[in-house]
Amino acid sequence: MTPFKVHSPHSPAGDQPEAIEKLTASIVKGNQYNTLHGVTGSGKTHTMARIIEATQMPTLIMTHNKTLAAQLYSEFRGFFPNNHVEYFISYYDYYQPEAYIPRSDLFIEKDSSINEELERLRLSTTASLLTFEDIICVASVSANYGLGNPEEYKANVQKLEVGQDYSQRALLLKLVEMGYKRNDNFFDRSDFRVNGDVIDIFPAYFEEEFIRIEFFGDEVESLTKHEYLTNTKTATLNDAIIYSVNPFVVSQSRLAKAIESIENELTARLEFYHQNEQFVEYQRLKQRVEFDLEMLEATGMCKGIENYARLLTDKEPGETPYSLIDYFKAMNRPFLLIVDESHVSLPQFRGMYAADKSRKEVLVDYGFRLPSALDNRPLKFDEFINVAPHFLFVSATPADLELELSSEVAKQIIRPTGLLDPTIEIIDSQYQVEKLHDEIKKTITKNERVLVTVLTKKMAEELATYYADLGIKVKYMHSDIDAIQRNHIIRELRLGKFDVLIGINLLREGLDIPETSLVAILDADKEGFLRSRTSLIQTMGRAARNSNGRVILFAKRITDSMKFAIDTTNERRKVQEAHNLEFGITPKTTTRSLDESLKLEEYDETALKKQRIEKMPASERKKMLIELNKAMTKASRELNFEEAIRLRDEIEKIKKL
């Protein structure tokens, strides 16, 4: 194992040394729960990294949203360049779960769009967890959902070693069993190809390299890694381990047993429907499950295989399903589970099980799924909160639960840079859009960025359009934008390609953009989830990384939440000012290197745009074509023929998709 070693130009400062010492001592002592209560910009991520270094424990870092997860992934890759830092979030760009509405007899088929790069990162995580010990994994709530049995996954591998004998035929059959497919024409991830005594394998979890096996008879003469595009050799190997393409891929014996279990459950359920004269449900279930069985027998996979997870993993009804956390347990050593922004993450984890159960119970009752599908579920909260030997809750606004559970609560109020909490100004919300425009102009003249939070997606989009028409470089960000693109947008904001970012709930917890000096909260007095005391404190904290940081609350009255957030911020600012005065510290804007982009370099803006259009509903695509036609006509009237031609070509491309 490569020891965890933090690489950072900064040493712990402010409240960090004391927090690191306290929390490390508590974890080493064996305490299960601890909390880091740190204000925004106090370097909580750096503290987390130092605790990992001090404890030398494999670590799972979980958070509630993909934007924050992407940021944490980039930061920890910077902190630990010599260790295995992995990324595990939902691989869906778009996901609509299957559901049935009895009242209207409406069945909604499962529909999804899988992001291949995110899928590769997930597979890289599971493979690394079973191969290495120096693992730091950044994950979203996806880590609480069911996965395949880690022991089965580990057993279903192909080990290769130079000098050993392997039957080429047996090797190829094993690769097929593991989910790989032969493709001699268009070689891609999860494929293998054969050319005489040379077999190329492109592991599902590799990014740009494949493994080449050269045989002499049945003996492996050489193992090498090659660059995918150029075929250039990049490394010579003595041995290699190939993992299956999916954690749900199981051995033939395990699959045969699972198929038998599915058949038995199907028989029992059909008998139930027959006795109760539910003939529609009888026929519906029979047709669906028998088709799945045929696919499993023929290929080892089927659509919605996760619904048979309990039977594939040989779990008892109601037993806790396997999840990513079990892959950490499989390492057979203590590990640390950090819950970032715990005040939001823990309630989200608590609500996942009930929401999932209510939807699946209807599907089971009406014959769309077998009862065992109910065990394809996220962890219950009680299961999650007891699953790891060591928890560290991290938040600027921890809830009562974290504080009550924790043996040690370490506070970070003083920032290493001496930065103060932002100043707060309240402005009447009448004509707030126009007033904000004036404030934006003042800010961008100083080469600083602006974050604006609104209440709806539509408002974010329309406000961005309005400001763009006024000549401001602006973009919006909300939940419809995929994780990789969100990361890309934040990079562009930091690089100064645009000046203003408008969002709803994504511009809250954990977003670290030091270039931001102004945070504007529109309709701050609209009491609710997005304008609660916690939300306001978190959002205001986005301006706490810049020495000119300020917050403008647009409101007609001061709500209880606003008063609490303002008072809390002002109290912290007094403590910070006193500390700076005592030690002669001048506040300095945080410096932070740009996050590494999650996408491949060649995955440029054009590719992203094409991907978004392909996933766009037909109605939205039609609207886009109407707008582009209008713009083309306008350009031609104004004799701007180059622009008109460009728009014409773009219209033709969209029509062909």
Side-chain angles (χ1 to χ4, degrees), residues 74 91 100 214 219 274 291 332 372 388 407 430 514 579 656:
S74 297
Y91 52 37
Y100 180 64
E214 295 185 40
E219 182 186 336
H274 185 75
F291 178 76
N332 294 316
S372 58
S407 304
Q430 189 173 8
H579 179 269
K656 288 176 183 176

Side-chain angles (χ1 to χ4, degrees), residues 2-7 45 49 52 58-61 69-88 120-122 124-126 128-129 132-139 205 207 328 596 598:
T2 305
F4 290 111
K5 177 67 179 172
V6 174
H7 290 252
T45 308
I52 295 170
T59 302
L60 172 60
I61 303 167
Q71 182 176 294
L72 287 169
Y73 173 62
S74 297
E75 287 188 58
F76 277 93
R77 286 191 72 178
F79 282 136
F80 297 98
N82 300 325
N83 302 107
H84 293 87
V85 181
E86 302 289 348
Y87 188 61
F88 192 93
R120 183 194 67 77
L121 289 165
R122 283 170 64 95
S124 174
T125 301
T126 51
S128 293
L129 278 165
F132 309 106
E133 291 190 348
D134 58 325
I135 292 285
I136 297 169
C137 176
V138 179
Y205 42 91
E207 185 174 358
F328 276 87
E596 182 177 338
L598 287 178

Side-chain angles (χ1 to χ4, degrees), residues 244-258:
S244 58
V245 302
N246 191 313
F248 286 108
V249 173
V250 295
S251 64
Q252 287 296 318
S253 59
R254 178 70 253 153
L255 182 63
K257 190 177 176 183

Side-chain angles (χ1 to χ4, degrees), residues 17 95 346 364:
Y95 182 69
L346 290 179
V364 170

Side-chain angles (χ1 to χ4, degrees), residues 478-577:
H478 52 59
S479 58
D480 289 350
I481 295 170
D482 67 58
I484 290 177
Q485 183 63 2
R486 290 177 206 171
N487 182 248
H488 185 65
I489 288 171
I490 291 167
R491 280 176 59 84
E492 284 192 333
L493 179 66
R494 295 201 60 203
L495 288 165
K497 292 186 179 180
F498 66 97
D499 301 306
V500 182
L501 180 59
I502 301 172
I504 308 163
N505 200 31
L506 297 176
L507 308 185
R508 228 175 71 181
E509 286 85 6
L511 199 62
D512 185 356
I513 306 173
E515 294 81 7
T516 300
S517 68
L518 173 61
V519 171
I521 303 175
L522 300 187
D523 301 307
D525 55 350
K526 299 288 175 63
E527 193 84 79
F529 172 69
L530 294 176
R531 297 293 181 262
S532 66
R533 58 174 63 181
T534 301
S535 292
L536 289 172
I537 290 172
Q538 290 286 347
T539 306
M540 285 155 47
R542 298 318 102 204
R545 291 176 169 86
N546 192 292
S547 56
N548 298 324
R550 62 192 183 109
V551 175
I552 298 177
L553 302 173
F554 289 95
K556 285 196 172 294
R557 62 189 180 95
I558 297 177
T559 62
D560 291 341
S561 295
M562 287 172 64
K563 187 176 184 308
F564 180 87
I566 292 166
D567 290 346
T568 302
T569 302
N570 288 337
E571 284 170 18
R572 289 173 176 174
R573 188 175 170 92
K574 283 179 185 175
V575 173
Q576 293 154 358
E577 282 178 329

Side-chain angles (χ1 to χ4, degrees), residues 154-170:
K154 194 172 185 177
N156 196 27
V157 301
Q158 179 60 59
K159 296 180 180 178
L160 298 165
E161 193 173 339
V162 175
Q164 295 296 313
D165 286 353
Y166 302 89
S167 164
Q168 291 189 44
R169 179 178 171 80

Side-chain angles (χ1 to χ4, degrees), residues 587-617:
K588 296 177 185 174
T589 298
T590 304
T591 56
R592 181 170 166 265
S593 58
L594 279 168
D595 296 341
E596 182 177 338
S597 181
L598 287 178
K599 64 179 178 21
L600 302 175
E601 289 301 317
E602 66 269 17
Y603 198 63
D604 60 13
E605 184 65 31
T606 305
L608 283 165
K609 191 173 181 181
K610 182 176 180 291
Q611 190 186 71
R612 288 198 300 274
I613 293 170
E614 284 174 342
K615 294 169 187 171
M616 195 178 283

